[in-house]
């Protein structure tokens, strides 16, 4: 019996899941945690003869916490993966640890381009802001939007969104008439929105972190920008499925580019949405699908290595992996370890009395242009 | 030109809101000489109570507002009787440590009970949108804030300067021993004043949810604003904080409109300039205790 015990302990693969479960980004953490639980319910908790154990830690989106937690997980708990990462600074804080310990870091949420370049062990299953912002930039220039005012949160993802949008929109002949960066912790959008209104653009390009979108849309309507004929466009973060219904009808007609909508019309997604709703009583957002695919990536990689948990072997197994996600077909780029996926242009519409991002155009297999342009 | 007035209007509404949120703190800090950093927690409580009543129990918004006041005041008086009064005679450092602890507890408690995402209160349709007044965009909700807060300010000023309670309070503050010798029940006056300040914070919290946003971090996020209002205004009267709130509200909104790159720093710049000019605040007493 005693001789068996250590051998038995090796049969467990541990995943350290670091997410913001409290604080302003908690909805991201909850969606990912839910999605991981859902996937494990559906697919069992053993892969290639190993038992999967998830250790959930809350970093409240504070990078110092992320770093400490990642270190504890790697050194004390001897985890085979670190995963999650609600915001860019958190993903970056853990990167050197992943490199040092040769532990794969699966980024399920954070969306700045540079992340995967910070460690050869980082693989991303969410999206990059460059993917959606370039697409909406092209789309806007081609669809009668000439003058755009931009309102973006003043931090790395906001600047990514702004720069990639600007680059493609102006290349397509569009003009930026006003550029405002709002502080990340911004209580009141009123003065900024007034500035947008006075600039009389055709549309406002907006990126605020998921969670602030509701506040933005309410004040957009309050100030009458919708009635002044100024449309809202942007990457899909502002129209998170999580918040959409709370925004009210002011959100109708907003056009965004993103990789996932709960209304994506595929069988895989219908099944995913139904299962998620049944388990947690609400619809999944884009963060949930990032987590769902992240845990799936871990499962498939372990299958490929036959349960071997060597970091290099796992990352090699993940490179080039392809599958049908609820968001559509996706692939892990073998060169950049970043995700390649369809980006959809969607418009907010009412379906069965609820607001949804209804997809109407698809850009297939979009790579992160933050890297391909280099 | 009309834009200037729109900015002015938004700024006044923002300032009025700051005043209602902060004037309770001006009272406890200035009149009672008690450092209550948990003031924002009472504001948040009022906000959440209003949100639960309106969103979950279907109360009309205007009926929920007074209840936000009353319940924040009730919680205030309960805490004053059980916890706060033991700290009146303690040092300011003890008061700061105690109340900041209370703030963290309130943040964790609300995060646990209500979740951490931002909450909106369902407003009546009449309060939504803007109307046009000679080309100036007037937000209905912001107009309501100006009206409510304006009336409150006048009432507050009258209570403090004209009523019997006001004179008792001023007597209790200036010389508690002599006041109790004259038959004024000093602890009771303080308890009532404290509760009233908490009630105002609660009302401010309910009103601010729409504009400032309501989440469990409210007390920490806005503590700095409350303190700026009280420092700039001086804590010896309520006229000071009132003018300070208006100045900061207009300064903040105008700064973000005209120099968006400077945005959040305008308010700090105003504070620094005023404090260099008048170190005790606009209406501070040079010999304040």
């Amino acid at each position: 019996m005693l001789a068996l015990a250590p051998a038995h302990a090796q049969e467990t693969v541990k995943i350290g899941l670091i997410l913001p479960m409290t604080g302003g980004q908690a909805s991201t953490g909850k969606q990912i945690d839910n999605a991981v639980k859902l996937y494990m319910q559906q697919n069992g908790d053993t892969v290639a003869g190993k038992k999967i154990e998830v250790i959930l830690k809350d970093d409240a989106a504070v990078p110092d916490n992320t770093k400490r937690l990642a270190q504890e997980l790697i050194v004390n708990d001897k985890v085979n993966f670190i995963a999650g990462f609600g915001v860019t600074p958190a993903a970056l804080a853990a990167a050197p640890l992943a490199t040092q310990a040769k532990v794969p870091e699966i980024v399920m949420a954070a969306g700045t381009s540079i992340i995967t370049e910070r460690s050869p062990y980082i693989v991303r299953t969410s999206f990059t802001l460059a993917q959606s912002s370039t697409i909406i930039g092209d789309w806007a220039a081609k669809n009668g939007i000439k003058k755009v005012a931009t309102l973006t949160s003043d931090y790395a993802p906001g600047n990514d969104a702004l720069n990639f949008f600007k680059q493609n929109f102006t290349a397509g002949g569009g003009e930026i008439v006003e550029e405002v960066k709002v502080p990340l912790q911004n209580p009141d959008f009123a003065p900024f929105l007034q500035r947008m209104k006075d600039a009389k653009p055709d549309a406002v390009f907006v990126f605020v972190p998921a969670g602030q979108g509701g506040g933005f849309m309410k004040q957009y309507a309050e100030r009458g920008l919708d009635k002044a004929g100024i449309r809202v466009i942007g990457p899909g973060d502002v129209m998170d499925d999580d918040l959409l219904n709370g925004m009210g009808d002011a959100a109708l007609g907003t056009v965004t580019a993103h990789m996932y909508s709960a209304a994506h019309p595929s069988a895989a997604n219908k099944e995913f949405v139904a299962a998620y709703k049944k388990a947690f009583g609400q619809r999944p957002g884009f963060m949930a699908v990032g987590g769902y695919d992240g845990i799936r990536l871990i499962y498939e990689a372990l299958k490929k290595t036959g349960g071997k948990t060597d970091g290099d072997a796992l990352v090699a197994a993940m490179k080039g992996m392809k599958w049908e996600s609820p968001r559509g077909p996706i692939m892990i780029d073998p060169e950049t370890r970043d995700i390649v996926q369809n980006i959809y242009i969607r418009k907010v519409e009412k379906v069965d009395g609820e607001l949804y991002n209804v997809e109407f155009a698809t850009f297939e297999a979009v790579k992160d242009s933050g890297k391909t342009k280099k | 030109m009309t834009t200037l007035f729109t900015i002015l209007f938004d700024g006044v509404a923002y300032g009025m809101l700051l005043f209602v949120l902060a004037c309770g703190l001006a009272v406890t800090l200035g009149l009672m000489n008690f450092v209550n950093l948990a003031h924002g927690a009472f504001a948040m409580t009022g906000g959440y109570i209003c949100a639960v009543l309106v969103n979950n129990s279907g109360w009309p918004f205007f009926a929920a507002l007074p209840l936000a006041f009353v319940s924040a005041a009730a919680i205030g008086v309960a805490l004053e009787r059980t916890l706060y009064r033991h700290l009146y005679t303690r040092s300011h450092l003890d008061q700061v440590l105690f109340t900041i602890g209370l703030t963290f507890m309130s943040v964790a408690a609300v995060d646990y009970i209500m979740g951490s995402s931002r909450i909106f209160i369902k407003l009546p349709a009449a309060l939504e949108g803007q109307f046009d007044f000679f080309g100036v965009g007037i937000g209905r909700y912001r107009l309501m804030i100006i009206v409510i807060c304006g009336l409150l300010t006048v009432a507050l000023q009258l209570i403090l300067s004209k009523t019997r309670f006001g004179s008792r309070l001023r007597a209790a503050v200036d010389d508690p021993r002599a006041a109790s010798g004259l038959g004024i029940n000093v602890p009771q006056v303080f308890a009532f004043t404290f509760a009233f300040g908490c009630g105002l914070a609660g009302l401010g919290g309910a009103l601010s949810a729409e504009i400032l946003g309501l989440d469990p971090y409210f007390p920490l996020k806005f503590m700095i604003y409350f303190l700026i209002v009280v420092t700039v205004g001086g804590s010896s009267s309520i006229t000071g904080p009132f003018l300070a709130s208006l100045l900061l509200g207009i300064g903040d909104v105008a700064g973000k409109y005209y120099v968006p790159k400077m945005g959040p720093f305008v308010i700090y710049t105003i504070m620094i300039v005023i404090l260099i000019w008048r170190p005790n605040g606009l209406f501070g007493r040079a010999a304040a205790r």
Side-chain angles (χ1 to χ4, degrees):
Chain A
M1 277 306 280
L2 278 173
L4 277 175
H8 190 78
Q10 276 168 15
E11 295 301 304
T12 308
V13 171
K14 289 183 182 172
I15 303 169
L17 191 59
I18 309 174
L19 291 169
M21 299 303 289
T22 52
Q25 304 295 326
S27 77
T28 299
K30 269 172 201 142
Q31 285 192 43
I32 294 177
D33 181 38
N34 285 349
V36 168
K37 284 199 179 108
L38 178 66
Y39 187 85
M40 292 181 67
Q41 274 167 25
Q42 290 172 332
N43 295 278
D45 60 356
T46 45
V47 185
K50 304 255 177 145
K51 193 166 161 50
I52 305 286
E53 185 191 341
V54 173
I55 307 172
L56 177 67
K57 299 276 179 183
D58 174 18
D59 68 353
V62 178
D64 284 348
N65 291 346
T66 320
K67 194 168 181 185
R68 179 175 52 80
L69 291 169
Q71 198 150 21
E72 280 174 17
L73 285 165
I74 291 171
V75 175
N76 298 345
D77 298 305
K78 307 212 164 19
V79 295
N80 307 102
F81 297 88
I82 48 175
F85 309 102
V87 294
T88 297
L92 295 180
L97 296 168
T99 312
Q100 246 175 15
K102 298 188 191 319
V103 168
E105 173 178 339
I106 313 299
V107 176
M108 296 169 164
T112 317
S113 274
I114 51 165
I115 290 174
T116 51
E117 290 164 354
R118 292 296 167 91
S119 163
Y121 293 90
I122 295 182
V123 182
R124 172 155 43 196
T125 59
S126 49
F127 62 97
T128 76
L129 279 155
Q131 286 177 331
S132 40
S133 301
T134 47
I135 298 285
I136 194 73
D138 287 338
W139 182 86
K142 281 188 197 121
N143 286 273
I145 294 174
K146 300 264 178 291
K147 292 194 288 180
V148 166
T150 66
L151 184 150
T152 50
S153 283
D154 196 4
Y155 75 135
N159 294 335
D160 257 17
L162 173 66
N163 294 335
F164 286 108
F165 170 77
K166 214 155 80 173
Q167 168 195 309
N168 282 44
F169 181 62
T170 47
E175 186 196 346
I176 307 279
V177 290
E178 181 74 60
E179 190 180 307
V180 173
K181 292 183 183 177
V182 304
L184 189 55
Q185 293 289 349
N186 185 53
D188 188 6
F189 288 107
F192 300 117
L193 279 169
Q194 185 64 38
R195 220 182 146 84
M196 304 271 109
K197 192 179 178 186
D198 293 341
K200 298 197 171 51
D202 301 321
V204 174
F205 172 85
V206 57
F207 171 82
V208 290
Q212 286 187 24
F216 171 82
M217 282 313 293
K218 277 191 87 112
Q219 295 202 356
Y220 160 86
E222 188 210 338
R223 206 140 286 270
L225 271 78
D226 52 343
K227 290 186 193 74
I230 301 169
R231 302 170 68 184
V232 175
I233 57 172
D237 308 69
V238 69
M239 290 291 134
D240 189 356
D241 273 291
D242 227 28
L243 308 164
L244 197 50
N245 270 322
M247 292 183 193
D249 290 352
L252 283 171
T254 301
V255 175
T256 51
H258 212 36
M259 86 307 184
Y260 180 71
S261 156
H264 181 64
S266 74
N269 184 48
K270 277 179 187 145
E271 209 177 295
F272 171 64
V273 172
Y276 191 98
K277 266 190 183 161
K278 195 173 160 224
F280 309 109
Q282 60 196 26
R283 64 163 104 145
F286 64 93
M287 291 298 185
V289 83
Y292 195 72
D293 286 327
I295 184 79
R296 175 170 179 151
L297 179 72
I298 293 175
Y299 269 52
E300 295 300 323
L302 282 168
K303 276 184 200 163
K304 254 172 115 172
T305 63
K308 253 179 62 183
T309 51
D310 172 60
D312 291 296
L314 284 169
V315 172
M318 291 175 190
K319 284 181 181 173
M321 207 178 261
K322 281 181 199 186
W323 69 95
E324 172 77 18
S325 152
R327 65 185 112 166
I330 59 174
M331 183 182 83
I332 302 297
D333 189 331
E335 280 154 27
T336 63
R337 290 159 280 104
D338 219 328
I339 188 160
V340 180
Q341 58 190 334
N342 292 352
I343 297 291
Y344 307 91
I345 309 272
R346 322 90 49 86
K347 189 184 210 168
V348 177
E349 285 174 20
K350 218 166 225 179
V351 182
D352 302 329
E354 282 189 55
L355 297 179
Y356 277 99
N357 290 302
V358 178
E359 299 165 353
F360 64 87
T362 306
F363 289 75
E364 278 176 18
V366 178
K367 286 193 178 190
D368 174 35
S369 61
K371 301 187 190 76
T372 50
K373 289 266 160 63
K374 269 177 194 156
Chain B
M1 196 59 195
T2 52
T3 300
L4 182 70
F5 283 110
T6 307
I7 295 296
L8 203 61
F9 171 80
D10 286 343
V12 170
Y14 191 43
M16 288 279 200
L17 199 56
L18 279 182
F19 175 68
V20 172
L21 278 166
C23 74
L25 183 63
V27 169
T28 41
L29 200 67
L31 294 180
M32 295 165 64
N33 198 22
F34 185 90
V35 187
N36 180 22
L37 293 186
H39 188 71
F42 292 101
M44 171 173 72
T45 310
Y48 272 96
I49 285 171
C50 183
V52 168
L53 286 176
V54 174
N55 296 358
N56 303 353
S57 313
W59 281 47
F61 181 65
F62 285 109
L65 282 183
L67 216 85
F69 179 94
V70 171
S71 33
I75 294 170
V77 85
L79 288 181
E80 200 273 345
R81 291 287 77 189
T82 51
L83 300 173
Y84 276 86
R85 68 190 181 108
H86 303 296
L87 285 119
Y88 285 152
T89 50
R90 302 285 281 274
S91 71
H92 279 166
L93 180 64
D94 286 348
Q95 297 172 351
V96 164
L97 291 176
F98 168 75
T99 52
I100 198 99
L102 214 56
T103 309
F104 281 116
M105 283 167 68
S106 73
V107 168
V110 170
D111 198 326
Y112 181 75
I113 300 168
M114 299 296 297
S116 56
S117 32
R118 181 172 174 173
I119 293 221
F120 290 100
I121 299 176
K122 280 187 197 129
L123 294 181
L127 288 178
E128 280 174 7
Q130 274 186 326
F131 63 87
D132 203 72
F133 185 76
F134 295 111
V136 182
I138 303 282
R140 292 194 172 86
Y141 190 82
R142 283 169 211 257
L143 183 63
M144 177 205 73
I145 285 180
I146 293 180
V147 171
I148 293 183
C149 299
L151 290 176
L152 267 176
T153 311
V154 174
L156 215 56
Q157 188 63 42
L158 288 178
I159 290 171
L160 276 182
S161 59
K162 296 275 190 281
T163 64
R164 203 177 161 79
F165 178 79
S167 38
R168 280 181 180 189
L169 173 62
R170 281 177 285 132
V173 169
D174 282 341
D175 194 339
R177 280 185 65 192
S180 46
L182 289 169
I184 296 172
N185 188 340
V186 174
Q188 202 182 43
V189 169
F190 275 1
F192 188 81
T193 311
F194 185 81
F196 195 76
C198 293
L200 282 176
L203 177 67
L207 287 173
S208 68
E210 177 73 10
I211 287 179
L212 302 182
L214 187 60
D215 62 47
Y217 291 85
F218 187 92
L220 295 173
K221 270 201 289 197
F222 293 100
M223 182 192 292
I224 189 80
Y225 285 86
F226 302 155
L227 291 174
I228 291 176
V229 165
V230 177
T231 354
V232 169
S235 49
S236 63
S237 66
I238 64 159
T239 328
F242 179 71
L243 289 176
S245 303
L246 283 184
L247 193 64
L248 293 168
I250 296 169
D252 197 38
V253 171
K256 283 175 175 169
Y257 181 82
Y258 289 106
V259 272
K261 283 210 170 61
M262 280 279 293
F265 295 103
V266 172
I267 196 163
Y268 302 114
T269 315
I270 297 177
M271 176 183 81
I272 291 166
V273 169
I274 290 180
L275 289 183
I276 289 172
W277 173 48
R278 294 189 75 101
N280 291 306
L282 288 174
F283 287 79
R285 280 182 292 198
R289 287 177 296 160

